[in-house]
Amino acid sequence: MALLRFVASLASLAALALLAPPALDLHASAIDHVAAEAGLRSRVPTLDDWQITVRDAAPGANPSEVELVLRGPDGRSERRRLALAGTSPEDRSRELAASLALIITQWDDPQDHRADTTTTTPTTPAPASPLRGWLGLGPRMELGRSLVEGGLDVQGGTWLLHEHLQPLASLGWSTSARAGLGLHTLRLGLGLAAGAPLPRTRLWLGAHALAHGAWTTTSDRRSTSAWASSSELGALLQIRWPRWLIGVRTGVDLALPPLKLKGDHARVQRGPAQFIVGLQIGLVFG
């Protein structure tokens, strides 16, 4: 049943991803969005790695002026204004495609961005990058001295300080059984990950710490329950796209105090340290 619930959850995530806003949104009134997209794709083979929005500039501005919002594969965002000089929608579409292609090719060179002043409005400061976060679901497995636990985690986070810090929130469930002794654990906690995106890749790599309150219940001929702490320390790797990500974490779960559980035919101990590995498949917001 747990596997079926997991498959159903992944299907829900996939459906949400399909309903997410498009990565390429070229709907300014001054251009032909079909021609602009065709011209841009012919110039930028890696266009699917980008999220680009083109909209009309603020009310009262030049009708041929558009506002650009670009988010690159590295997660960095930039907002610009571009005054199009073409006399027809087709001309303006070609001009837009060429300008966007130039910005993309210069994306990894901040000096070139500062030098390219012909497409920006100097009196309008670029706003700060929007806050980006993620929410994911995935399986977890723990290996301890006398038991193996499997379950599901729902986790979320936000990238802060140029994506070097991630505040994390976590809700998890795991279960194990041995010789008729059933074990169920619920965890709720907060934590922090510190790291950095690797240049010119989709990867974010760092270390994380999560502090949980854990409620464990056992069932044999009778049921018992107990509270304990569950502190997770380890490494976190994320593979990120504009709208979704895959995360892998591994480390040690410190269960303190250790729980020693006795059934009619089995004895298990949870803690003090258990190896953990987890997988997250999630959506990116912002």
Side-chain angles (χ1 to χ4, degrees), residues 4-286:
L4 291 176
R5 288 194 295 269
F6 176 56
V7 172
S9 301
L10 289 182
S12 300
L13 284 175
L16 287 174
L18 292 175
L19 294 175
L24 191 63
D25 190 359
L26 311 176
H27 284 86
S29 58
I31 64 170
D32 180 335
H33 69 91
V34 176
E37 180 175 351
L40 189 56
R41 290 193 180 277
S42 67
R43 291 173 171 86
V44 184
T46 59
L47 187 62
D48 290 336
D49 296 337
W50 293 75
Q51 184 177 345
I52 300 174
T53 301
V54 179
R55 286 282 187 262
D56 293 327
N62 187 328
S64 297
E65 187 175 358
V66 296
E67 185 174 80
L68 317 177
V69 181
L70 296 90
R71 178 173 294 132
D74 56 0
R76 184 161 52 90
S77 298
E78 184 172 317
R79 186 186 298 265
R80 293 189 175 202
R81 282 192 180 183
L82 176 64
L84 301 173
T87 58
S88 68
E90 292 76 14
D91 293 339
R92 291 190 289 268
S93 298
R94 285 192 293 270
E95 183 181 351
L96 173 67
S99 298
L100 286 172
L102 179 62
I103 294 173
I104 290 173
T105 57
Q106 296 177 346
W107 188 257
D108 293 322
D109 191 347
Q111 183 64 36
D112 287 345
H113 276 287
R114 290 193 295 269
D116 181 17
T117 58
T118 60
T119 61
T120 61
T121 303
T123 59
T124 304
S129 298
L131 195 64
R132 298 180 68 222
W134 60 275
L135 179 65
L137 170 71
R140 65 179 286 140
M141 179 170 289
E142 291 199 29
L143 177 62
R145 177 182 301 178
S146 59
L147 79 164
V148 176
E149 290 185 88
L152 288 174
D153 285 334
V154 178
Q155 293 188 339
T158 302
W159 293 291
L160 301 176
L161 296 181
H162 302 289
E163 303 191 340
H164 289 299
L165 291 181
Q166 286 192 57
L168 301 173
S170 177
L171 173 65
W173 160 82
S174 62
T175 184
S176 180
R178 181 178 179 184
L181 178 61
L183 180 75
H184 297 273
T185 300
L186 292 175
R187 300 173 185 82
L188 178 63
L190 299 172
L192 184 68
L198 301 184
R200 301 178 185 275
T201 71
R202 301 180 187 273
L203 303 180
W204 190 97
L205 180 63
H208 76 284
L210 280 166
H212 296 94
W215 180 71
T216 301
T217 179
T218 61
S219 59
D220 199 300
R221 289 188 178 179
R222 59 186 181 276
S223 298
T224 60
S225 61
W227 282 92
S229 68
S230 177
S231 300
E232 184 180 316
L233 304 173
L236 175 63
L237 173 68
Q238 293 175 329
I239 309 172
R240 306 181 301 173
W241 288 266
R243 285 297 177 185
W244 61 287
L245 64 78
I246 297 175
V248 180
R249 72 185 196 281
T250 184
V252 177
D253 184 11
L254 302 177
L256 299 172
L259 295 179
K260 298 180 179 180
L261 308 169
K262 180 180 179 180
D264 292 337
H265 304 289
R267 293 184 180 183
V268 298
Q269 177 175 321
R270 188 175 190 283
Q274 301 191 161
F275 173 76
I276 179 174
V277 61
L279 173 69
Q280 293 286 319
I281 300 175
L283 294 176
V284 176
F285 302 96

